[in-house]
Amino acid sequence: MSTDRVDVLIVGAGLSGIGAAYRLELMSPNKTYAIVEQRERTGGTWDLFRYPGVRSDSDMYTLSYPFRPWTNEKAIADGGDIRQYIADTARENGIDRHIRFGRRVLTADWSSDDATWTVTSRLSDGTTETTVASFLYLCSGYYSYDEGYTPDFPGIENYEGDVVHPQFWPEDLDYTNKNVVIIGSGATAITLLPSMARDAAKVTMLQRSPTYILSQPGKDPIANVARRVLPKSIVHQATRLRYAVMTVGFYVFCRTFPSLARKILLGLAQRQAPSVDPASLTPRYKPWDQRLCVVPGGDLWRVVRQGKGEIVTDHIEEFTPKGIALASGEHLDADVVVTATGLQLVAMGSIDISVDGRAIDPHEVYTYKGLMFSGLPNMAWCVGYTNASWTLRADLTWKYVARFLNHLDENGYAYGMPNPEGESGPSAPILDLDSGYIQRVADKLPQAGSRKPWKIRQNWFLDAWDARTTDLDEEMVWVRKSELPVRDKVAVG
């Protein structure tokens, strides 16, 4: 076992972890830091998911970093391009020198006497490593990298074909000229269908219930032309703001006028897929009760119109040796079945967290300003928006953490934590969607409150304004370095 010490330990070397490190170096350059990453490469989610056609479901002008212009002509980018963008950002800014790969964080134990986190990681060779840090920043998202979600399908053991979950796509899977059935109706399923249809004989998307789907141009001609005559940074910031206005504005419109929004969305979908049964395009819920899916350039509808893809709405009766029997009596022949049935959510990276020897149940803590937690000292969790790109909120959290660290130094504080006795009001879910992957673990995730600063809003403009005017002392409990036990006085800043 080896031990090291840093001011800030960042968990995760994906989009969030690299962005957090950049803001830390820029705003708190006196802080030492390290990034621990359980995989062997940067990229996080974009390194994990390798299924055909994997791409962003947010525009890249808001998903990319505000400090590094997105110059690819694609507004909806492929996973490989995003992965390279993250790796390039880390390399160009020297962040890659701080990354320690092959380390899975197991436990994080806070000592109030020492004002430090002791974090234990398991290395790929089975040994363990301990890192002592004054601040712990979880930038690993909320998806489990170890398992996806697959229901217990009756008779699946009798099926003779290949069954694949998109999260663990086999490199040698050959579906050329084969019949493929994709189970699911979310972003992964609508991405897989047009991508696999290029080589497969036919691809059927089998959904239990439809999802709202909106076509969006795959490229932004305004931004692509503007980059030829204007500085890339100016074009990036202007385009980022434009997309943020459109995204937040459309969300507010949908939530304010759900009936009208529903009519518009269904009309657009039915106009692009006239051969599809309207029932297969009509969700049971209101727009943005679940995340809206985006298809670049209408690729999904184009494949359906060409007859290479099909959307079927039905329930699975059972798997058969050659495919899937449906409740309606129909049978779908399938050589390959893809279970795009969702992901597993985890709280705080599935790390066992304790404070002064007391184990912390994530569901019993309340989120503070969308990133810290009641009673947890010097710790933050980077979580993005559900109704807009992840990075819009993530960048606000990166900046907040840097200001928090500076505030500690400026006031002689050893640590601070959101008041565990704070008046949060009635509890609310940390993620405000009705999606199954969220509801399955609602009793395991931290909770939000119903009033500031415990309330989580899905509005970047309001949050950005709050970030500019935030009171770092609001509902916080601070402990000065001079208040630490004399025997344990150490330089924590």
Side-chain angles (χ1 to χ4, degrees):
M1 177 182 290
S2 59
T3 302
D4 193 12
R5 184 185 181 101
V6 292
D7 292 321
V8 181
L9 183 65
I10 299 171
V11 180
L15 186 72
S16 298
I18 302 304
Y22 178 90
R23 290 299 187 194
L24 185 65
E25 288 196 357
L26 181 68
M27 299 174 64
S28 302
N30 62 313
K31 297 298 180 185
T32 61
Y33 75 92
I35 304 174
V36 288
E37 166 59 49
Q38 73 177 67
R39 300 174 65 78
E40 298 298 334
R41 297 175 298 273
T42 57
T45 296
W46 301 107
D47 180 64
L48 173 69
F49 289 95
R50 301 295 184 109
Y51 59 81
V54 59
R55 64 195 181 203
S56 64
D57 61 350
S58 299
D59 69 273
M60 284 307 301
Y61 298 103
T62 55
L63 185 64
S64 61
Y65 299 119
F67 50 81
R68 187 174 188 272
W70 175 256
T71 58
N72 190 305
E73 66 176 7
K74 295 179 182 179
I76 303 294
D78 299 330
D81 292 334
I82 302 173
R83 183 170 61 251
Q84 190 62 52
Y85 171 81
I86 297 170
D88 290 344
T89 303
R91 186 188 65 257
E92 291 172 7
N93 292 281
I95 296 169
D96 56 346
R97 296 194 298 268
H98 297 262
I99 304 174
R100 304 168 182 174
F101 294 106
R103 286 159 170 80
R104 181 189 184 94
V105 177
L106 304 176
T107 63
D109 306 295
W110 170 261
S111 168
S112 296
D113 287 347
D114 299 329
T116 56
W117 287 97
T118 299
V119 180
T120 302
S121 304
R122 184 175 62 234
L123 280 62
S124 53
D125 62 4
T127 61
T128 58
E129 177 182 84
T130 300
T131 305
V132 177
S134 299
F135 193 95
L136 178 62
Y137 197 4
L138 307 182
C139 293
S140 52
Y142 46 59
Y143 293 133
S144 169
Y145 279 31
D146 299 324
E147 58 179 335
Y149 175 73
T150 302
D152 293 326
F153 293 118
I156 194 170
E157 67 278 2
N158 300 321
Y159 177 60
E160 297 174 354
D162 295 311
V163 179
V164 179
H165 192 285
Q167 186 167 333
F168 308 102
W169 198 269
E171 294 181 3
D172 59 349
L173 179 66
D174 182 12
Y175 51 88
T176 304
N177 297 323
K178 294 182 179 181
N179 291 320
V180 178
V181 173
I182 302 169
I183 303 174
S185 60
T188 301
I190 67 170
T191 297
L192 280 164
L193 192 154
S195 298
M196 299 186 73
R198 298 190 190 105
D199 300 313
K202 186 175 182 180
V203 181
T204 300
M205 188 174 84
L206 172 60
Q207 58 182 14
R208 187 172 54 184
S209 60
T211 299
Y212 289 105
I213 302 173
L214 177 66
S215 291
Q216 181 173 309
K219 300 179 181 179
D220 187 317
I222 297 175
N224 291 339
V225 171
R227 276 197 299 270
R228 300 174 186 171
V229 296
L230 295 173
K232 294 177 181 178
S233 59
I234 293 177
V235 175
H236 183 67
Q237 293 300 330
T239 308
R240 181 181 177 83
L241 179 60
R242 175 161 57 91
Y243 274 88
V245 170
M246 291 190 297
T247 301
V248 176
F250 183 65
Y251 172 80
V252 172
F253 169 76
C254 288
R255 303 306 278 175
T256 306
F257 306 103
S259 297
L260 179 57
R262 177 183 176 88
K263 183 177 180 180
I264 292 173
L265 288 169
L266 296 182
L268 290 172
Q270 290 168 6
R271 187 154 56 246
Q272 295 182 80
S275 62
V276 177
D277 182 353
S280 291
L281 302 173
T282 307
R284 296 192 294 261
Y285 55 88
K286 295 182 292 186
W288 277 113
D289 281 352
Q290 297 184 23
R291 191 173 174 93
L292 186 145
C293 293
V294 172
V295 294
D299 60 357
L300 172 70
W301 307 127
R302 185 166 55 253
V303 168
V304 170
R305 290 195 300 269
Q306 293 170 348
K308 291 276 288 180
E310 180 184 20
I311 300 176
V312 174
T313 304
D314 210 326
H315 286 72
I316 295 174
E317 185 71 24
E318 65 176 348
F319 273 69
T320 68
K322 300 300 180 182
I324 301 175
L326 304 178
S328 63
E330 298 294 321
H331 186 275
L332 296 179
D333 295 337
D335 303 300
V336 178
V337 172
V338 181
T339 56
T341 46
L343 304 169
Q344 292 280 22
L345 267 61
V346 295
M348 302 179 185
S350 293
I351 301 170
D352 290 332
I353 296 175
S354 63
V355 173
D356 295 327
R358 178 176 61 88
I360 299 298
D361 180 348
H363 190 60
E364 294 182 355
V365 300
Y366 282 77
T367 55
Y368 172 86
K369 298 188 177 181
L371 77 155
M372 297 184 76
F373 300 96
S374 57
L376 295 186
N378 283 18
M379 193 191 93
W381 185 22
C382 182
V383 176
Y385 288 115
T386 57
N387 70 331
S389 83
W390 179 274
T391 317
L392 285 175
R393 173 182 274 164
D395 190 49
L396 298 178
T397 74
W398 303 333
K399 293 177 180 177
Y400 181 94
V401 168
R403 288 196 294 266
F404 178 94
L405 294 169
N406 294 341
H407 193 68
L408 291 177
D409 290 347
E410 291 164 1
N411 293 275
Y413 296 140
Y415 62 89
M417 63 181 173
N419 185 2
E421 306 300 327
E423 293 295 330
S424 59
S427 64
I430 187 175
L431 302 173
D432 66 338
L433 296 178
D434 294 337
S435 305
Y437 70 95
I438 294 175
Q439 298 306 312
R440 286 194 297 270
V441 295
D443 61 342
K444 296 181 175 62
L445 297 176
Q447 302 178 72
S450 56
R451 58 172 64 99
K452 293 175 60 179
W454 309 96
K455 183 177 181 179
I456 293 181
R457 297 179 301 193
Q458 299 296 325
N459 189 309
W460 177 68
F461 291 98
L462 295 179
D463 288 343
W465 173 256
D466 281 353
R468 290 178 177 271
T469 60
T470 190
D471 179 5
L472 289 170
D473 295 317
E474 181 182 17
E475 290 276 12
M476 288 292 293
V477 175
W478 302 101
V479 174
R480 296 185 182 277
K481 294 179 182 178
S482 59
E483 298 177 67
L484 297 179
V486 174
R487 63 179 177 81
D488 289 318
K489 281 189 177 180
V490 292
V492 297

